[in-house]
Amino acid sequence: MTSAPAIICQGLTRKFGSFTAVDSISFEVAQGEVFGFLGANGAGKTTAIRMLTGLLQPTGGQAWVAGHDVYSEVEAVKRSIGYMSQRFSLYDDLTVRENIEFYGGIYGLRKTELHQKSGDLIERLDMEAEANSMIRSLPLGWRQKIAFSVAVLHEPAIVFLDEPTGGVDPITRRQFWDLIYEKAAQGVTVFVTTHYMDEAEYCDRVSIMVDGRIEALGSPAELKKGHGVDSINDLFVLLARGGKRGDA
Amino acid sequence: MKAFRGFVIKEFFHIFRDRRTLVILFGMPIIQMMLFGYAIRNEVQDVQVAVVDWAHDSASEAITDRLEASRYLQVVPGIEHQDIERAFRRGEAKVAVTFPRNFERDLILGESPTVQVITDATDPNTANTVLAYVTAAIGTYQIEVLTTSGGARPASIVLEPRMRFNPELRSVVLFVPGLIALILMLVCALMTSITITREKEIGTMEILLVSPLRPGQIIVGKVMPYLVLSLVNVVTILLLASQVFLVPIRGSLTLLLAECFLFIICALALGIFISTRTSTQQVAMMISLAGLLLPTVILSGFIFPVASMPAPLQIVSHIVPAKWFLIVIRGIMIKGVGLEAIWQETLVLVGMTTVFLVASVRGFNVRLAD
Amino acid sequence: MTAVDIKALEKRFGKTAALEPVTFSVAEGELFGLIGPDGAGKTTLFRMLATLVLPTGGTATVDGLDVVRDYRELRNRLGYMPGRFALYQDLTVAENLKFFASIFGATIESNYEMIRDIYGQLEPFRDRRAGALSGGMKQKLALSCALIHRPRVLLLDEPTTGVDAVSRLEFWDVLTRLRDSGLTILVSTPYMDEAARCDRVALIQDGHILEINTPTGIEDSYPLPLLSVKSSDRLTAKRALERFPFAYSVYPFGEELHFTDSRAEPSVSEIKTWLHEAGVADAEVTVIRAGIEDVFMHRMPTVEGQTGVA
């Protein structure tokens, strides 16, 4: 394991016509770090993530994900990362096992390896009884846990999580974060966005985007001390209130 | 390669687990084969022939028997010469054969009597076929006479074909009225079928329901704008038909517009009815297209004559609104008839419209579907 | 005076119960919160109260009218804001408002007082299409449309979901002011921290109501002592506490850990020593008051094999 940063952004920018969604953001994420990427709706978070996962090409600046250039090595980027979003991750009309096998197959896992990992995953999540149930019959929290496990099945160096716990009950939310910590302990870099400010505190470092720019970057403790607030929630409100995009 | 294989397998799962896709995949081809197979006929059957016999001699009666014997033709009695036009307009006969006075005498004397074959050429395909049958029937008679007389009597007859309403046998005369029906039905029904389901999908239907608005108000309110805009459509289409394709409008323009108006409301009401019964725009569109397009094209008499189809399909064609409208629109445009000839069809359309509207209001769920 | 009266109201779909029999009432002028995660049954309950869905059991009256029998009259008096802010995306702000006013036979002018607060912020955008508004603005517009006909009871289904933190705060300020003006408001939300702004709250999970009380009452109902543990090595502290013989539950809460002791009188020093021995030297252990989320997690029916000691 080298010590090169997992993610490097330098002046990363994305314009849509005359509108600048992401305005020259720069930061680095170390390997094995749990990095919280926060920001209000419309602040540019989703656009930034899309650029880092190879779904959208930047219009300015540079970025490297897992050592690969996001402009010229997009396919390599995609192979090196895992991705999970709130809106969709798994197929409703396939069973738990079928979903695992499908995604494993896409990422090139061999049959025996896949079989082994599939069994391990189901055991870790305590879902032996539900392995052959349709995803749509399971509660949201369980689906999200499976989705996360599937996203890291092919052992990527980095996993991107886009609001993975929205609407999930408080206990399952915390179990989800247990899964995140397990992976981080194994050296996987976790890049997560969330609206739950208490989850921001679980991260090693946090960045807050306002109007396309990064207005805060650092560990939760540093940021709170530096801005004289008690919680990341207070910091967020402080910074977001200054934002103009939230007005319309 | 493995990724590709895994992807294909997944797609198979999706297909087999979605009932709707399965119906389309397997059900549609079978239905289409059956429909098309039975409906597409170029032969005609039981075409009504009016025989105007001024001769009343054994020759004319012999030929009449031949006509009667043909399985394609069916002689309709009691139509005099002056009734022919009206019979055509009313659809009581498709072809008229006239025998002049002293037919047999002229025949024996070798004076080549003229037999007129007047055909309703609104449908030029049928007209040609019918003419062929009549010619064949008469030809059979001629051959018989020739053989029984041992070649002595040539029985030469001059056939004078006359094509009514569409002398140039332009197929556009057949198609364009049908196109008008098809376009109106499709556009109107399709538009209204998605409008209610769209509200259900974006969620505004919930708010409308929890308001004082009555179902009747919502339905009529939805139909209104499409009605107004469709009239503009009708005028445009009629202009194109008459100016570009030179399809005649022989009857009353007011009556034509009124009937189009009625058909539009019928199509809109049908669309609304579909809309009240479906929950997604996708399904609504599929039902409109598959459930309306196909029957309208095949079973309305647009291209293929209904009379030639097997009985079950003919029965089904009765519930296709376009079938009745086609009779009306062809009558007014091509034959120039007035309300007295088409009042029955008009009544059927009024009835259908009422049924669709009432069913929509009744079927409109005042609550969210469970 | 009761604004909403619910008795054994339930909704089943075949064998599954979306909502088990529920009984409670809401007083006039009360701001009542329904707190629970996705799939808990909040929307099902609201839809029954809004006369949109028929209950499979029990009864409910809103503003004195039965939700099944008198639905037509009741629809005149309800203000309803469904989830996903159902608005006409292709109509402008002003057009949306005008439409919703008109179907209730009201005009914007006659009831402007009611929405002045909220609409004031929307005014500059009155000619913008609703689809082009930000989440926070859509929320305000949807609320205005629900209020424009001067309803007697307001039902808001997850109005703060998908909206940024600042807009959420402002929204609750608006709700509080509306409540102060005499309106009865029922709100559902998955955010536990919003419970604190309600007069009374019902915790709901998996179709069951876990508890109904004032926020303070709910916090008071936590049965065991709750301690907050702060340290620089949260992970080690957590593992150590899970091994503690009297541990009832250990949950991360932001930068703290919430530790529930199974004894009535826990000893802070004992816990500190335990942590010290596990390698956590700088632990701060304090007794704290339980919050809504603590109570919720405590009351949640847990599945076999997935215990409270996470």
XYZ file of all heavy atoms in Angstrom, chain A residues 39-41 125-127 139-140 142 145 166-175 178 181 195-199 201-203 221 224 230 233 236-238 240-241 245-248, chain C residues 37-38 125 128 132-135 137 162-170 173 190-192 205 234-235 238 251-255 293 296-297 300 302-308 310:
685
model
N -22.725 19.589 2.101
C -23.141 20.796 1.393
C -24.642 20.798 1.231
O -25.258 19.743 1.255
N -25.214 21.974 1.104
C -26.667 22.067 0.920
C -27.038 21.557 -0.473
O -26.174 21.405 -1.335
C -27.116 23.510 1.073
N -28.323 21.312 -0.693
C -28.781 20.931 -2.038
C -28.464 22.064 -2.985
O -28.679 23.210 -2.674
C -30.299 20.718 -2.034
C -30.669 19.507 -1.227
O -29.803 18.897 -0.620
N -31.940 19.173 -1.209
N -23.941 -9.890 7.322
C -25.133 -9.073 7.521
C -26.248 -9.841 8.220
O -27.335 -9.312 8.413
C -25.647 -8.557 6.162
C -24.739 -7.588 5.406
C -25.377 -7.183 4.094
C -24.484 -6.343 6.251
N -25.991 -11.116 8.551
C -27.000 -11.886 9.261
C -28.266 -12.071 8.443
O -29.387 -12.007 8.985
C -27.400 -11.136 10.552
C -27.068 -11.980 11.760
O -27.069 -13.229 11.642
O -26.814 -11.370 12.817
N -28.102 -12.273 7.161
C -29.302 -12.337 6.322
C -29.463 -13.683 5.630
O -29.961 -13.765 4.523
C -29.237 -11.235 5.259
C -29.500 -9.857 5.847
S -29.767 -8.657 4.536
C -29.472 -7.148 5.419
N -36.780 -4.196 4.213
C -36.848 -2.805 4.668
C -35.661 -1.996 4.137
O -34.609 -2.554 3.811
C -36.783 -2.891 6.199
C -36.608 -4.313 6.547
C -36.584 -5.142 5.324
N -35.859 -0.666 4.096
C -34.858 0.224 3.512
C -33.471 0.025 4.114
O -32.474 -0.080 3.396
C -35.312 1.676 3.689
C -34.332 2.739 3.178
C -34.168 2.629 1.680
C -34.802 4.129 3.575
N -31.987 -2.462 5.526
C -31.326 -3.694 5.102
C -30.831 -3.562 3.675
O -29.725 -3.989 3.344
C -32.295 -4.884 5.176
C -32.712 -5.230 6.551
C -32.749 -4.396 7.644
C -33.149 -6.491 7.013
N -33.196 -5.074 8.732
C -33.456 -6.367 8.380
C -33.330 -7.732 6.388
C -33.929 -7.425 9.121
C -33.797 -8.792 7.142
C -34.089 -8.635 8.499
N -27.652 -1.610 3.559
C -26.483 -2.361 4.030
C -25.993 -3.330 2.951
O -24.792 -3.475 2.724
C -26.821 -3.126 5.319
C -26.930 -2.214 6.531
C -26.823 -2.976 7.843
C -28.100 -3.716 8.140
N -28.069 -4.338 9.492
N -30.222 8.091 4.061
C -31.406 8.933 4.077
C -32.657 8.156 4.436
O -32.966 7.176 3.781
N -33.358 8.561 5.482
C -34.628 7.932 5.827
C -34.497 6.590 6.536
O -35.493 5.925 6.803
N -33.286 6.196 6.855
C -33.091 4.894 7.504
C -33.240 5.061 9.023
O -32.898 6.092 9.571
C -31.684 4.360 7.148
C -31.377 3.094 7.917
C -31.590 4.105 5.653
N -33.757 4.032 9.712
C -33.977 4.172 11.155
C -32.646 4.313 11.895
O -31.610 3.877 11.410
C -34.768 2.969 11.681
C -33.946 1.698 11.714
O -33.161 1.523 12.670
O -34.069 0.910 10.762
N -32.669 4.929 13.089
C -31.414 5.279 13.766
C -30.511 4.108 14.115
O -29.286 4.255 14.089
C -31.885 6.005 15.040
C -33.341 5.816 15.121
C -33.850 5.442 13.780
N -31.089 2.949 14.407
C -30.217 1.821 14.762
C -29.503 1.299 13.515
O -28.282 1.096 13.513
C -31.015 0.697 15.443
C -31.467 1.152 16.825
C -30.160 -0.560 15.554
C -32.129 0.085 17.651
N -30.260 1.112 12.461
C -29.643 0.605 11.231
C -28.621 1.583 10.680
O -27.611 1.199 10.106
C -30.712 0.326 10.167
O -31.782 -0.387 10.760
C -30.151 -0.510 9.027
N -28.865 2.855 10.882
C -27.900 3.864 10.444
C -26.553 3.604 11.092
O -25.503 3.643 10.455
C -28.353 5.270 10.860
C -29.124 5.983 9.781
C -29.070 7.489 9.859
N -29.556 8.094 11.061
C -28.875 9.024 11.737
N -27.686 9.385 11.339
N -29.406 9.563 12.806
N -26.589 3.343 12.377
C -25.336 3.120 13.086
C -24.686 1.808 12.692
O -23.464 1.711 12.595
C -25.579 3.179 14.587
C -25.832 4.608 15.030
C -26.516 4.686 16.375
N -26.560 6.072 16.845
C -27.488 6.944 16.472
N -28.451 6.578 15.660
N -27.451 8.178 16.930
N -25.486 0.795 12.400
C -24.917 -0.456 11.909
C -24.242 -0.222 10.569
O -23.201 -0.802 10.263
C -26.022 -1.516 11.742
C -26.562 -2.019 13.064
C -27.792 -2.887 12.874
O -28.424 -2.875 11.824
N -28.137 -3.636 13.914
N -20.924 1.081 11.172
C -20.028 0.002 11.594
C -19.403 -0.649 10.373
O -18.201 -0.932 10.347
C -20.792 -1.067 12.388
C -21.105 -0.623 13.786
O -20.438 0.314 14.276
O -22.018 -1.207 14.403
N -16.749 1.629 8.992
C -15.501 1.584 9.771
C -14.715 0.312 9.516
O -13.493 0.318 9.435
C -15.802 1.701 11.261
C -16.039 3.112 11.705
C -17.109 3.435 12.522
C -15.187 4.127 11.304
C -17.326 4.732 12.926
C -15.404 5.432 11.694
C -16.476 5.734 12.505
O -16.692 7.011 12.901
N -26.788 14.122 4.913
C -27.493 15.266 5.477
C -27.553 15.177 6.994
O -28.028 16.088 7.655
C -28.927 15.337 4.932
C -29.012 16.076 3.639
N -28.503 17.340 3.467
C -29.540 15.734 2.446
C -28.722 17.741 2.229
N -29.347 16.787 1.581
N -27.123 14.045 7.534
C -27.133 13.889 8.993
C -25.838 14.446 9.565
O -24.763 13.903 9.346
C -27.248 12.404 9.359
C -28.588 11.789 9.052
C -28.771 10.993 7.926
C -29.683 12.008 9.888
C -30.002 10.426 7.652
C -30.910 11.441 9.617
C -31.066 10.652 8.496
O -32.284 10.083 8.224
N -25.966 15.499 10.306
C -24.779 16.173 10.817
C -24.057 15.357 11.873
O -22.844 15.532 12.053
C -25.150 17.556 11.363
C -25.560 18.501 10.255
S -24.276 18.617 8.991
C -25.265 18.744 7.508
N -24.752 14.469 12.559
C -24.037 13.645 13.532
C -23.107 12.678 12.798
O -22.041 12.322 13.305
C -25.002 12.900 14.458
C -25.925 11.960 13.702
O -26.197 12.228 12.513
O -26.383 10.964 14.292
N -23.496 12.283 11.602
C -22.625 11.391 10.835
C -21.371 12.118 10.375
O -20.323 11.509 10.173
C -23.388 10.830 9.625
C -24.490 9.862 10.042
C -25.210 9.243 8.859
O -24.932 9.645 7.708
O -26.055 8.364 9.086
N -19.657 13.907 12.145
C -18.697 13.748 13.247
C -17.983 12.400 13.199
O -16.936 12.225 13.805
C -19.424 13.868 14.597
C -20.302 15.090 14.739
C -19.578 16.259 15.390
O -18.372 16.135 15.653
O -20.214 17.289 15.628
N -18.572 11.436 12.495
C -17.936 10.122 12.421
C -16.775 10.098 11.439
O -16.042 9.128 11.356
C -18.941 9.043 11.977
C -20.161 8.894 12.847
C -21.334 8.396 12.320
C -20.153 9.244 14.188
C -22.468 8.244 13.097
C -21.273 9.113 14.982
C -22.431 8.607 14.434
O -23.547 8.454 15.200
N -16.637 11.166 10.671
C -15.617 11.164 9.623
C -14.264 11.636 10.158
O -14.190 12.367 11.133
C -16.046 12.077 8.484
S -17.635 11.614 7.775
N -13.087 18.168 14.805
C -12.597 18.890 15.984
C -11.966 20.226 15.590
O -12.283 21.269 16.157
C -11.603 18.022 16.735
N -14.628 22.798 14.391
C -15.480 23.357 15.449
C -14.712 24.379 16.264
O -15.198 25.465 16.558
C -15.999 22.223 16.346
C -17.127 21.434 15.696
C -17.732 20.403 16.619
C -16.748 19.271 16.825
N -17.362 18.124 17.522
N -20.180 24.477 18.530
C -20.203 23.233 19.304
C -20.392 21.991 18.456
O -20.044 20.903 18.877
C -21.353 23.275 20.314
C -20.993 24.157 21.491
O -19.797 24.207 21.820
O -21.911 24.778 22.050
N -23.262 20.680 12.906
C -24.554 21.221 12.495
C -24.551 22.744 12.580
O -24.950 23.431 11.643
C -25.664 20.644 13.375
C -27.037 21.008 12.857
O -27.310 20.896 11.672
N -27.885 21.469 13.739
N -22.401 24.150 9.880
C -23.077 24.051 8.596
C -24.078 25.185 8.412
O -24.104 25.857 7.378
C -23.798 22.703 8.510
C -24.381 22.417 7.171
C -23.639 21.748 6.211
C -25.668 22.828 6.847
C -24.167 21.481 4.960
C -26.192 22.568 5.609
C -25.442 21.904 4.668
N -24.885 25.396 9.442
C -25.892 26.458 9.353
C -25.199 27.800 9.178
O -25.617 28.630 8.357
C -26.777 26.461 10.622
C -27.673 27.684 10.632
C -27.617 25.207 10.668
N -24.119 27.983 9.905
C -23.368 29.230 9.822
C -22.900 29.487 8.398
O -23.107 30.575 7.838
C -22.154 29.140 10.765
C -21.263 30.368 10.878
C -22.031 31.505 11.527
C -20.029 30.036 11.714
N -23.847 27.821 5.519
C -24.880 27.739 4.479
C -25.732 28.993 4.441
O -26.213 29.398 3.394
C -25.757 26.514 4.708
N -25.882 29.645 5.592
C -26.686 30.872 5.636
C -26.074 31.940 4.764
O -26.761 32.773 4.216
C -26.788 31.381 7.072
C -27.930 30.762 7.824
C -28.724 31.790 8.627
N -30.037 31.270 8.951
C -30.390 30.743 10.117
N -29.497 30.653 11.080
N -31.604 30.297 10.324
N -27.153 30.480 -3.264
C -27.909 29.573 -4.117
C -29.130 29.028 -3.401
O -30.111 28.675 -4.021
C -27.040 28.389 -4.551
C -26.164 28.765 -5.704
C -25.579 27.545 -6.352
N -24.293 27.864 -6.907
C -23.390 26.956 -7.258
N -23.649 25.678 -7.061
N -22.250 27.307 -7.772
N -29.049 28.954 -2.088
C -30.168 28.401 -1.337
C -31.417 29.252 -1.451
O -32.518 28.799 -1.196
N -31.269 30.505 -1.871
C -32.421 31.414 -1.907
C -33.407 31.110 -3.005
O -34.544 31.501 -2.929
C -31.920 32.849 -2.111
C -31.387 33.406 -0.798
O -31.519 32.693 0.200
O -30.854 34.514 -0.796
N -32.967 30.518 -4.065
C -33.911 30.242 -5.153
C -33.554 28.917 -5.777
O -34.302 28.330 -6.431
C -33.867 31.315 -6.198
N -38.756 6.602 10.753
C -38.020 6.440 9.497
C -38.929 6.072 8.325
O -40.141 5.924 8.516
C -37.060 5.287 9.810
C -37.765 4.486 10.844
C -38.579 5.454 11.655
N -38.331 5.899 7.163
C -39.085 5.476 5.978
C -39.773 4.153 6.222
O -39.195 3.240 6.788
C -38.106 5.279 4.798
C -37.885 6.586 4.062
O -38.274 7.635 4.604
O -37.337 6.540 2.956
N -39.783 35.638 -6.900
C -39.706 34.598 -7.918
C -41.070 34.240 -8.479
O -41.257 33.166 -9.033
C -39.068 33.340 -7.315
C -37.743 33.624 -6.672
C -37.650 33.740 -5.289
C -36.606 33.798 -7.437
C -36.440 34.024 -4.684
C -35.403 34.072 -6.843
C -35.312 34.189 -5.464
N -41.278 32.645 -11.847
C -40.385 31.539 -12.201
C -41.170 30.228 -12.170
O -42.030 30.026 -11.317
C -39.227 31.469 -11.209
C -38.201 30.430 -11.612
C -37.035 30.429 -10.694
N -36.259 31.660 -10.795
C -35.035 31.770 -10.321
N -34.466 30.741 -9.726
N -34.386 32.889 -10.415
N -38.094 25.105 -11.586
C -36.761 25.716 -11.515
C -36.427 26.242 -10.129
O -35.412 26.879 -9.933
C -36.673 26.843 -12.532
N -37.258 25.975 -9.152
C -36.983 26.451 -7.798
C -36.106 25.470 -7.040
O -36.081 24.285 -7.339
C -38.299 26.606 -7.021
C -39.295 27.652 -7.489
C -40.571 27.515 -6.678
C -38.730 29.046 -7.321
N -35.425 25.978 -6.030
C -34.625 25.093 -5.183
C -35.571 24.342 -4.244
O -36.745 24.694 -4.103
C -33.655 25.914 -4.345
O -34.377 26.650 -3.373
N -35.044 23.309 -3.583
C -35.862 22.494 -2.680
C -36.538 23.319 -1.611
O -37.731 23.164 -1.335
N -37.369 26.480 -1.637
C -38.406 27.354 -2.197
C -39.649 26.546 -2.566
O -40.775 27.002 -2.375
C -37.869 28.066 -3.441
C -36.964 29.233 -3.102
S -37.892 30.613 -2.422
C -36.808 31.119 -1.107
N -35.321 16.067 2.058
C -34.659 16.524 0.838
C -34.429 18.018 0.805
O -34.168 18.589 -0.250
N -34.516 18.657 1.954
C -34.327 20.108 1.999
C -33.120 20.408 2.878
O -32.880 19.714 3.853
C -35.603 20.762 2.572
C -35.379 22.220 2.883
C -36.749 20.604 1.596
N -32.361 21.437 2.550
C -31.124 21.699 3.300
C -31.406 22.173 4.724
O -32.507 22.633 5.049
C -30.279 22.728 2.559
C -30.960 24.071 2.505
O -31.747 24.289 1.571
O -30.735 24.880 3.417
N -30.391 22.095 5.560
C -30.525 22.364 6.995
C -31.067 23.747 7.303
O -31.877 23.918 8.218
C -29.171 22.165 7.672
N -30.624 24.737 6.554
C -31.074 26.102 6.847
C -32.564 26.258 6.550
O -33.322 26.786 7.359
C -30.259 27.129 6.023
C -30.788 28.518 6.253
C -28.791 27.026 6.396
N -32.982 25.753 5.395
C -34.402 25.850 5.055
C -35.250 25.106 6.050
O -36.366 25.514 6.360
C -34.662 25.286 3.658
O -33.952 26.004 2.705
N -34.733 24.005 6.559
C -35.500 23.236 7.542
C -35.767 24.086 8.772
O -36.878 24.117 9.300
C -34.748 21.967 7.946
C -34.829 20.881 6.908
C -34.651 19.494 7.507
N -33.288 19.125 7.744
C -32.852 18.570 8.871
N -33.672 18.330 9.856
N -31.602 18.243 8.994
N -34.739 24.769 9.249
C -34.914 25.607 10.438
C -35.958 26.683 10.190
O -36.854 26.902 11.006
C -33.581 26.281 10.795
C -32.509 25.387 11.393
C -31.225 26.169 11.558
C -32.970 24.825 12.724
N -35.832 27.357 9.036
C -36.783 28.421 8.719
C -38.199 27.880 8.639
O -39.153 28.525 9.075
C -36.412 29.074 7.382
C -35.129 29.872 7.454
C -34.693 30.365 6.082
O -35.327 29.991 5.065
O -33.714 31.121 6.048
N -39.698 27.504 11.953
C -40.076 28.812 12.498
C -41.452 29.188 11.984
O -42.309 29.656 12.739
C -39.061 29.888 12.064
C -37.718 29.714 12.751
O -37.683 29.068 13.820
O -36.705 30.227 12.225
N -38.745 12.256 9.327
C -37.821 11.230 9.800
C -36.729 11.805 10.704
O -35.970 11.069 11.310
C -37.194 10.696 8.503
C -37.233 11.876 7.586
C -38.410 12.703 7.968
N -36.651 13.111 10.787
C -35.576 13.749 11.562
C -35.949 13.858 13.038
O -36.870 14.587 13.403
C -35.273 15.143 11.020
C -34.768 15.140 9.598
C -35.548 15.614 8.564
C -33.495 14.657 9.296
C -35.084 15.614 7.258
C -33.021 14.652 7.991
C -33.820 15.127 6.979
O -33.362 15.124 5.696
N -35.215 13.150 13.877
C -35.532 13.112 15.298
C -35.373 14.472 15.966
O -36.113 14.810 16.884
C -34.608 12.108 16.019
C -34.544 10.749 15.361
S -35.699 9.592 16.069
C -36.096 8.571 14.662
N -42.750 3.345 14.251
C -41.771 2.487 13.593
C -42.478 1.210 13.180
O -43.199 0.615 13.978
C -40.618 2.188 14.570
C -39.769 0.978 14.272
C -38.866 1.148 13.058
O -39.081 1.998 12.212
N -37.830 0.328 12.993
N -12.551 7.059 19.745
C -13.938 6.624 19.904
C -14.113 5.137 19.690
O -14.878 4.481 20.373
C -14.820 7.408 18.926
C -16.230 7.580 19.431
C -17.027 8.515 18.557
N -16.719 8.360 17.154
C -16.588 9.383 16.316
N -16.745 10.614 16.745
N -16.308 9.183 15.050
N -13.392 4.618 18.714
C -13.558 3.214 18.363
C -13.166 2.290 19.506
O -13.908 1.379 19.877
C -12.699 2.902 17.129
C -13.279 1.875 16.161
C -14.727 2.209 15.812
C -12.437 1.829 14.901
N -15.631 2.597 22.323
C -16.885 1.889 22.024
C -16.717 0.397 22.303
O -17.549 -0.219 22.971
C -17.254 2.131 20.561
C -18.531 1.467 20.098
C -18.988 2.097 18.778
C -20.198 1.403 18.205
N -19.880 0.189 17.455
N -24.150 3.468 21.782
C -24.415 3.997 20.443
C -23.581 5.239 20.194
O -23.473 6.096 21.063
C -25.883 4.393 20.288
C -26.845 3.242 20.222
C -27.888 3.145 21.135
C -26.719 2.256 19.250
C -28.784 2.108 21.076
C -27.625 1.211 19.187
C -28.640 1.128 20.097
O -29.541 0.098 20.043
N -23.006 5.354 18.994
C -22.338 6.592 18.628
C -23.363 7.697 18.414
O -24.430 7.463 17.850
C -21.632 6.275 17.310
C -21.966 4.889 16.958
C -22.966 4.353 17.925
N -23.035 8.880 18.872
C -23.897 10.045 18.675
C -22.972 11.199 18.343
O -22.525 11.936 19.208
C -24.662 10.373 19.978
C -26.067 9.863 20.007
C -26.312 8.526 20.312
C -27.130 10.691 19.735
C -27.616 8.046 20.343
C -28.440 10.222 19.773
C -28.684 8.896 20.069
N -22.686 11.319 17.051
C -21.766 12.399 16.701
C -20.428 12.136 17.344
O -19.898 11.024 17.284
N -19.894 13.113 18.018
C -18.566 12.928 18.586
C -18.614 12.191 19.921
O -17.589 11.846 20.481
C -17.875 14.280 18.744
C -18.637 15.224 19.636
C -17.809 16.434 20.009
O -16.627 16.489 19.633
O -18.346 17.315 20.701
N -33.963 10.745 20.125
C -33.379 9.639 19.371
C -33.008 8.485 20.297
O -33.205 7.324 19.971
C -32.153 10.116 18.596
C -31.700 9.110 17.541
C -30.778 9.732 16.504
O -30.504 10.945 16.594
O -30.342 8.997 15.607
N -36.133 6.707 21.091
C -36.614 5.979 19.913
C -35.873 4.668 19.752
O -36.486 3.611 19.564
C -36.433 6.848 18.662
C -37.171 6.333 17.461
C -38.412 6.834 17.122
C -36.623 5.334 16.669
C -39.103 6.364 16.016
C -37.303 4.844 15.562
C -38.538 5.363 15.240
N -34.563 4.738 19.845
C -33.786 3.513 19.640
C -34.047 2.512 20.737
O -34.073 1.298 20.516
C -32.301 3.856 19.560
C -31.967 4.616 18.298
S -30.226 4.607 17.921
C -29.637 5.588 19.247
N -37.456 0.898 19.892
C -37.625 0.232 18.598
C -37.685 -1.268 18.762
O -36.822 -1.844 19.416
C -36.423 0.529 17.710
C -36.636 1.621 16.726
S -35.157 1.814 15.723
C -35.175 0.313 14.790
N -36.507 -4.594 17.978
C -35.318 -5.005 17.237
C -35.494 -6.418 16.717
O -36.209 -7.222 17.280
C -34.061 -4.953 18.117
O -34.374 -5.564 19.366
C -33.633 -3.529 18.357
N -34.813 -6.674 15.618
C -34.930 -7.983 14.984
C -33.985 -8.954 15.657
O -32.935 -8.578 16.150
C -34.567 -7.855 13.484
C -34.737 -9.163 12.766
C -35.442 -6.780 12.865
N -34.361 -10.225 15.633
C -33.507 -11.266 16.203
C -32.095 -11.170 15.669
O -31.881 -11.107 14.477
C -34.050 -12.650 15.785
C -35.121 -13.207 16.685
C -34.595 -13.505 18.082
O -33.440 -13.951 18.204
O -35.349 -13.260 19.028
N -31.132 -11.195 16.561
C -29.759 -11.210 16.103
C -29.187 -9.826 15.859
O -27.999 -9.673 15.665
N -30.038 -8.813 15.865
C -29.497 -7.465 15.692
C -29.833 -6.681 16.941
O -30.832 -6.002 17.020
C -30.091 -6.810 14.452
C -29.725 -7.596 13.199
C -30.184 -6.912 11.929
O -30.692 -5.821 11.960
N -30.006 -7.599 10.798
N -28.995 -6.844 17.953
C -29.321 -6.325 19.289
C -28.947 -4.863 19.447
O -28.355 -4.253 18.573
C -28.573 -7.108 20.371
O -27.177 -6.900 20.132
C -28.888 -8.580 20.274
N -29.277 -4.350 20.596
C -29.009 -2.945 20.870
C -27.518 -2.664 21.003
O -27.056 -1.578 20.746
N -24.724 -2.495 19.383
C -24.422 -2.525 17.929
C -22.949 -2.738 17.651
O -22.113 -2.163 18.334
C -24.876 -1.229 17.304
